[in-house]
Amino acid sequence: MKEYRKKITAKPRQTKVGQVSSNQVRSDQATPDQVRPSHLKSSQTKSSHLKSHVKIDDEEMEASNQDRAKIDDEEILLRPIVHVTLPGLEYRNLMRRLYRSYNFWVRCPKDRQRIFGDIGNTFHNISIVLDDIEDGTVLRRGIPAAHMVYGVALSVQATIYNAFLLFQSLLQHLKDNEDVVTDDFVKVGIEFFTGQGMEIYSRDVEQCPTFEDYGVVVYGKSASPLFWGIQLLQLFAKNAKIDFIFEIFDKMGHFLQIYDDYINLHNPKYATVRVFADDLDEGKFSYPIIHAVRSHPDDKRLLNMLKQRPLDIESKKVFVEIMEGFGSFEFTRNVLENLRKGILADVEKMKLEKNPYLEKILEDIFSRLETEIYFDGCD
């Protein structure tokens, strides 16, 4: 995976809730201002800059009306993105938390940290909506996926629209680094869609990938956007860059994705937040499935069953029992345990000031491994 890390480091760059009507945005959701890039928020769309003693002529009034219409348009267009920011979703702030943990050491100004944290979360929310469409996901974190509420067309439109708003926000906040921002934004986009695309390709041509292929997917979908945010922080950091943190965050991204793959098939309680074993409905070659298929190349039962998707509950149970017999869950759990030990050892090797933010993140993540509690990671 080092060769993929080099691509991006070459330059600094629910509480369970019910379904939301397509005609209404819940009052407890994030507002469009919270989803929009910060420089495009209310300051652009309100006429508060006009002093009360200044007479507003017809031209100004028309401009004000157009601004109000723009707010309405953007509120509508961003609804699918707003939908995935419902409260009670424990993963939704992980990107911000990781940025804050890194910033504890490098000391980027807090206002910049917040801006880049918002940008990272926006990118993640865009990926969630798109990923759910491509996988045919029905439920995410116990609520209907965005496209199940707002439709595929508007949801795809929202991801594209918000991506352009995101890029505009970057240019606004990083005027002195436009070349770096543009270059890195393109790089992270290519790496993200490479990861997404290769996962879809393996699924649709029914070709089991290797673990190395799996690593490319995880890097593109998870690590690459995170590393990009760290590069942005480093542009304004007071302290020197900590290159070793990339290794740690890369392993964390793998841990989260592999754990999500594991719990999707191994824990029936997963069905309380998503459909039971919905990776099988997607035809996804998750980490334990890759092990099962590749460790028994002459046994075609699993591959044949994946072709019959979507599977009924009884077929899913048979699929899981076969994997259990192949030792795929035990293998995956051992991989997770080794990743956990490796991450903790790497943190210890850094010999830096004790970082309470990073320690809390690791505690939250690794506690799931002991109890097999669902943690919405990086998919």
Side-chain angles (χ1 to χ4, degrees), residues 6 17 23 34 49 67 80-82 117 120 161 189 194 211 227 274 359 373:
K6 289 179 182 178
V17 296
N23 297 319
Q34 291 172 313
H49 62 287
D67 283 345
I81 306 296
V82 173
Y161 179 65
T194 296
F211 285 128
F227 292 173
R274 296 181 76 159
E359 288 182 357
I373 296 174

Side-chain angles (χ1 to χ4, degrees), residues 212-223:
E212 183 179 357
D213 296 331
Y214 180 92
V216 174
V217 171
V218 174
Y219 179 83
K221 293 175 62 175
S222 305

Side-chain angles (χ1 to χ4, degrees), residues 15 25 85 105 108 113 132 137 146 189 212-213 216 234 275 328 332 344 367 374 377:
T15 306
V25 177
T85 65
W105 285 314
C108 173
Q113 175 194 312
D132 283 348
T137 300
E212 183 179 357
D213 296 331
V216 174
Q234 198 64 50
V275 178
S328 297
T332 303
L344 293 175
S367 65
Y374 173 66

Side-chain angles (χ1 to χ4, degrees), residues 34 101 158 161 178 198 229 305 347 350:
Q34 291 172 313
S101 70
Y161 179 65
E178 287 189 6
M198 292 309 297
M305 291 178 74
V347 172
M350 293 177 72

